[in-house]
Amino acid sequence: MAETAGMRRQSSSIQNNPAAVPPRILTEKDVLQNRTTSYTLTQFITSTTEGDQQMALLMNAVQHACKVCANAIKKAGPCDLYGLAGSANSTGDDVKKLDIIANTVWVDCMKSSGVCCLLVSEEEEEPIVIEDADKRGPFAVAFDPLDGSSNVDCNVSVGSIFSVYRRQSPDDGPATVKDILRPGSECIAAGYSMFGAATELVITYGAGVFRFALDPSIGEFVFVEEMKMPKSGGKKIFSCNEGNAHSWDKPIQDFVTECKQAGYSARYVGSMVSDVHRTLLYGGVFLYPADKKSKKGKLRVLYEGFPMAMITEQAGGVASTGMYLGKIGRVLDVMPEQIHDRCPIIMGGARDVERVLNLYKNAD
């Protein structure tokens, strides 16, 4: 093929500016090598559960539930799965068709793992106790099967969130609700999946936070990175529902006003998974505080507050309740009174969370 003038100009530009060299196009061989050498979630689970076969079975059940949910969400439009199911869940929220599907998937996956003794779901009024001794194990698991489902019909990112406890009651009988009504500091594992432009799964066993992305061509989650919040506090971003601002405590109102005056950007999706995921990666702060309408806040402790707080702290951030029940404290120190209990949330980098807490202290 004859060299054109345009080709000569591009060649000359690249020679004079090495930074202008276009990226090499990946070949089929490159892609194949990446898929065969990637560190998969299955490998990660096997190598990090330290011979705990039951924990390995549980985490494999979690990743399976996430894959099935991702597939259902991807097909929601063509399969007529958008819209309301015509009922309300345990906390009074309208239930979507996908809420029911995701809940069924999570409950079935946890039960079939054979290592769970008690399940708590946002979509279930009462805890699910595994009665059969041959089909239960040492773990009590709380989960929100489809967080942010109010956004799912408009194709905004949603997700699943879970926390894991090891039962304390004698294992010669069924578990009791006391096995899961414990502070978040006693969680032994937590995580969330996010269904957006890509399907991701983020997990912690209490020693670091690890991010995986689903490669749909091989059906495996592959390792992306160990997540650590920027030590400097990261980007100046605040994330909250300002529609509730008139009901907030004055320190929260003052903090948001300061953010605007200091040139912070406002970013709020309305799906906790999405907002916290961005905060972990970019920095800033996510707030869903208590207010005059909701004295305990709106987010549920066991399957939203605790797992996200555990992940945030393990990534180097801070997770606080703000002023709650007369004192400032960690989210992970909250003692839930019932399985769908709520608590306020202020989580993100220390730079911003500490500023909120100082406003509370100075207000006293």
Side-chain angles (χ1 to χ4, degrees):
M1 182 176 68
E3 183 180 47
T4 66
M7 291 169 66
R8 286 193 296 272
R9 284 196 299 272
Q10 184 183 37
S11 176
S12 175
S13 174
I14 290 173
Q15 289 175 356
N16 294 332
N17 180 16
V21 177
R24 184 172 67 87
I25 298 174
L26 290 178
T27 66
E28 186 175 344
K29 181 180 178 181
D30 294 324
V31 174
L32 180 61
Q33 183 176 12
N34 181 59
R35 287 173 180 159
T36 55
T37 59
S38 294
Y39 189 42
T40 69
L41 177 56
T42 303
Q43 291 172 308
F44 175 83
I45 291 169
T46 304
S47 62
T48 57
T49 49
E50 299 179 345
D52 187 340
Q53 184 179 11
Q54 291 174 317
M55 177 59 80
L57 287 170
L58 176 66
M59 296 310 296
N60 273 310
V62 166
Q63 71 160 319
H64 183 61
C66 294
K67 291 174 185 178
V68 176
C69 287
N71 186 61
I73 292 167
K74 182 174 65 175
K75 296 180 178 179
C79 295
D80 191 28
L81 297 179
Y82 288 143
L84 296 171
S87 59
N89 65 14
S90 59
T91 54
D93 299 327
D94 290 331
V95 174
K96 298 291 185 78
K97 295 175 185 177
L98 281 168
D99 280 319
I100 295 175
I101 292 171
N103 184 60
T104 300
V105 168
W106 270 84
V107 170
D108 287 352
C109 285
M110 295 301 102
K111 283 183 174 180
S112 63
S113 71
V115 296
C116 297
C117 58
L118 181 76
L119 306 176
V120 168
S121 169
E122 183 189 19
E123 306 303 327
E124 302 284 347
E125 190 76 32
E126 300 294 334
I128 299 171
V129 178
I130 312 301
E131 300 284 351
D132 190 338
D134 295 328
K135 296 181 179 180
R136 68 171 180 246
F139 303 119
V141 183
F143 51 87
D144 182 350
L146 196 60
D147 175 71
S149 58
S150 60
N151 289 322
V152 75
D153 291 358
C154 57
N155 204 22
V156 170
S157 296
V158 293
S160 302
I161 316 174
F162 69 93
S163 61
V164 182
Y165 290 84
R166 191 178 294 275
R167 72 178 292 179
Q168 291 184 327
S169 60
D171 59 9
D172 57 355
T176 70
V177 72
K178 291 183 179 180
D179 285 309
I180 204 164
L181 288 182
R182 293 149 60 189
S185 55
E186 296 183 22
C187 282
I188 60 172
Y192 64 84
S193 61
M194 189 174 73
F195 313 115
T199 296
E200 297 197 4
L201 181 57
V202 174
I203 61 175
T204 180
Y205 296 126
V209 180
F210 303 91
R211 179 186 180 193
F212 299 83
L214 182 63
D215 183 341
S217 63
I218 58 174
E220 280 279 6
F221 283 101
V222 295
F223 179 74
V224 176
E225 63 177 340
E226 181 175 1
M227 295 175 72
K228 294 182 179 179
M229 291 200 68
K231 291 184 179 180
S232 65
K235 295 183 178 180
K236 294 183 176 181
I237 298 172
F238 71 98
S239 180
C240 58
N241 183 356
E242 288 195 75
N244 297 326
H246 64 285
S247 299
W248 289 340
D249 294 340
K250 191 172 186 303
I252 300 292
Q253 294 175 335
D254 290 346
F255 173 75
V256 171
T257 299
E258 287 184 8
C259 285
K260 294 176 181 178
Q261 293 172 345
Y264 275 57
S265 298
R267 298 285 185 271
Y268 185 67
V269 177
S271 167
M272 187 187 190
V273 164
S274 299
D275 285 314
V276 172
H277 189 66
R278 182 197 57 248
T279 302
L280 292 171
L281 292 174
Y282 295 167
V285 62
F286 169 77
L287 309 96
Y288 212 115
D291 57 38
K292 295 174 184 176
K293 295 184 300 179
S294 304
K295 301 295 184 182
K296 284 190 168 185
K298 188 176 178 182
L299 298 175
R300 272 68 59 151
V301 179
L302 287 177
Y303 41 82
E304 290 176 323
F306 283 167
M308 289 307 200
M310 183 178 183
I311 290 168
T312 297
E313 289 194 3
Q314 286 299 316
V318 180
S320 174
T321 59
M323 184 61 69
Y324 178 56
L325 301 179
K327 64 179 182 179
I328 297 172
R330 291 170 72 212
V331 172
L332 292 178
D333 289 336
V334 171
M335 181 65 188
E337 297 175 352
Q338 46 96 1
I339 62 172
H340 300 296
D341 211 356
R342 303 169 187 258
C343 77
I345 296 289
I346 303 169
M347 57 177 59
R351 177 194 66 197
D352 298 313
V353 176
E354 293 297 339
R355 179 58 188 149
V356 179
L357 302 186
N358 285 334
L359 287 170
Y360 270 111
K361 292 172 184 175
N362 293 336
D364 294 340

